[in-house]
Amino acid sequence: MLKGVLKTIEKYNMLNKGDRIVAAVSGGPDSMALLHILYTLKDKYNLYIHGAHLNHMLRGEEADQDCEYVKEFCRKRSIPLSIGFEDVELMAKKQGISLEEAGRVARYKLFDDVAKEIKASKIALAHNMNDQAETVFMRIMRGTGLDGLGGIKPVRDGIFIRPLLFTLREDIEKYCREHDINPRTDSTNLEPLYLRNKLRLQLIPYIRENYSSNIESLISSMAELLREDSEFLEEHVKNIYNEICTQNEGKVSINIDSLKEQHSSVKKRIIRKAIENVKGNLNAIESKHIELLLSIIHNGMTGAAVELPGGIKGIISYKLLNIIKYTGETNIKFRYEINIPGLTRIDETGDIMEAQTEEYKLSLHNEKDYLKYFDYDKIKENLVLRTREEGDFITPAGMKGTKKLKEFFIDQKIPRDIRDRIPVVAWGKEIIWVVGYRVSENYKITKKTENVLRLEFKQCRGR
């Protein structure tokens, strides 16, 4: 088995001479075999090994005995050990997550903390080939794509390494017997209470017995092939992402026109990458969330928004899809006096209104949704760029009477949840332009117009 593990280490360049390694140790067969192998390779790679063990405080005396076993194993070999304690059940209740997820979060926090403390270059995890098969099956059952079918990565972020990923659990148990390692057994792993346990104890043994005796190896090989394809595609997407996206602190802006030119697979990957860069991970982000964002891109209405898990929001702003951190405020409120001539920036959204004055010419009538011309002689006071307010009204172009802005929104079938985010150009309570929708009849250019106000609503990327 050691030769196979060494082959994996070398193939994926998991270890370098002089590495400082945090070894995750639960006390079970996998982690104890991994710790023993790293200890065996200590001189070959000039390794510094530091164990990390978390007591989840779920199994009482049994968990305490696991901890003592790991401590004694490390003491005999002079391996430094850090032990953490976390009431995972309480953590799960407070955060509204499953016990499995809470345990995973607590473990990785401990590993990260220890790694920072000892200035580790690697964190070694004991996932094996059986874990890989179980993970792929779980993702299939929950719904997944190419990335999910690629399963667990042998190396992640250049830090997390999994030397046992291509080793079967039965070979690991045999290794433990051959080297007089007497690992602990987590009794909860023997009960089909969770999906992973049901797969491990029921489904996979059934497939192995009735359909394919080497199902774990087949799934592992498939995952490796798909992971290679996924990594190639991800590199391609990365180049496009850098071309059409602008990233600032807590925000990624995607050029919608450029995004629309891409293959649907690339579109989804770019959006997922943007979310990950803002959120820090893709936990709880599902395909339905990506489809929602694609739907508002297709509709193209400025102000349209989708709230995503983890405090993230996607908002359409002119020709951009902005992925931002969501503070919990339902509506964004702003009010700015428009600089005429000049630029007026909305700090809350990053949008910009550009204003210019010029003499009237027939050629000025080339208007667009976000570019409008007004009779400047009819505007007596300074204009304001803001969100809607109580009492707002408009005389929509082509009509004679006035309408409350609220009634206008209803007539235009503008969704209620985006109305408070649509910018308006106003003079007092009178709306001159509902940006992206309609201008006022009262300020349209006529044959008598001498001076024209040109307003263009846009977002300057990278400013």
Side-chain angles (χ1 to χ4, degrees), residues 215-425:
I215 183 64
E216 292 92 347
S217 179
L218 293 174
I219 293 292
S220 176
S221 297
M222 179 200 74
E224 187 174 15
L225 290 172
L226 294 179
R227 192 165 54 248
E228 289 176 357
D229 290 347
S230 177
E231 288 171 355
F232 172 80
L233 182 55
E234 188 61 27
E235 189 64 29
H236 173 65
V237 168
K238 181 181 178 181
N239 293 332
I240 298 174
Y241 179 92
N242 291 335
E243 290 177 6
I244 73 172
C245 300
T246 300
Q247 187 164 334
N248 297 306
E249 187 174 351
K251 174 181 175 182
V252 172
S253 299
I254 307 172
N255 184 290
I256 291 176
D257 289 339
S258 298
L259 185 67
K260 286 181 176 179
E261 295 174 357
Q262 308 304 321
H263 187 278
S264 60
S265 174
V266 175
K267 289 179 188 175
K268 293 173 183 177
R269 283 177 175 269
I270 286 174
I271 291 174
R272 286 171 62 86
K273 190 173 184 65
I275 294 171
E276 184 175 19
N277 285 339
V278 173
K279 185 174 181 284
N281 57 61
L282 288 171
N283 294 344
I285 300 298
E286 301 175 12
S287 59
K288 65 181 180 181
H289 300 121
I290 308 301
E291 293 296 339
L292 281 172
L293 289 171
L294 287 171
S295 70
I296 65 169
I297 288 172
H298 178 73
N299 294 332
M301 292 186 297
T302 191
V306 172
E307 292 179 18
L308 305 172
I312 301 298
K313 180 179 284 189
I315 304 176
I316 298 292
S317 179
Y318 187 49
K319 294 295 184 180
L320 297 174
L321 169 64
N322 292 320
I323 306 296
I324 63 171
K325 288 185 177 178
Y326 177 45
T327 61
E329 293 291 330
T330 303
N331 304 316
I332 299 173
K333 293 291 184 182
F334 57 82
R335 183 184 181 91
Y336 296 90
E337 187 173 304
I338 298 177
N339 298 316
I340 305 175
L343 301 176
T344 304
R345 181 184 180 89
I346 304 173
D347 292 335
E348 289 81 357
T349 65
D351 298 334
I352 286 177
M353 181 69 79
E354 182 178 6
Q356 297 177 6
T357 58
E358 44 197 279
E359 292 184 359
Y360 173 63
K361 295 178 184 177
L362 288 174
S363 60
L364 289 174
H365 285 154
N366 184 23
E367 294 189 327
K368 300 177 182 178
D369 287 345
Y370 297 94
L371 171 62
K372 298 296 180 184
Y373 297 89
F374 302 88
D375 189 329
Y376 193 38
D377 298 320
K378 293 180 181 179
I379 299 172
K380 306 298 182 183
E381 298 178 12
N382 291 332
L383 296 179
V384 171
L385 177 63
R386 60 172 173 80
T387 46
R388 68 169 177 163
E389 296 177 354
E390 189 70 30
D392 284 345
F393 66 91
I394 185 173
T395 304
M399 295 180 59
K400 293 183 179 179
T402 63
K403 272 184 175 288
K404 291 182 179 179
L405 185 59
K406 179 180 179 181
E407 293 174 355
F408 170 79
F409 283 152
I410 293 171
D411 291 344
Q412 296 295 307
K413 295 183 171 58
I414 298 172
R416 182 179 299 175
D417 61 337
I418 73 170
R419 295 174 190 172
D420 288 317
R421 295 190 291 271
I422 296 175
V424 298
V425 177

Side-chain angles (χ1 to χ4, degrees), residues 156-209:
R156 179 166 65 84
D157 301 330
I159 298 173
F160 296 96
I161 61 173
R162 298 179 170 96
L164 303 184
L165 193 60
F166 299 94
T167 305
L168 284 166
R169 184 174 291 128
E170 61 188 65
D171 292 330
I172 293 171
E173 292 172 350
K174 181 181 177 182
Y175 178 91
C176 288
R177 291 193 298 270
E178 290 175 347
H179 292 84
D180 295 322
I181 302 169
N182 300 301
R184 300 281 301 167
T185 298
D186 184 343
S187 60
T188 61
N189 288 336
L190 305 177
E191 302 172 359
L193 299 176
Y194 307 109
L195 177 57
R196 183 178 289 276
N197 284 10
K198 290 177 181 178
L199 291 170
R200 177 183 300 159
L201 301 173
Q202 298 173 346
L203 179 60
I204 293 178
Y206 181 82
I207 294 174
R208 191 188 303 119
E209 182 178 348

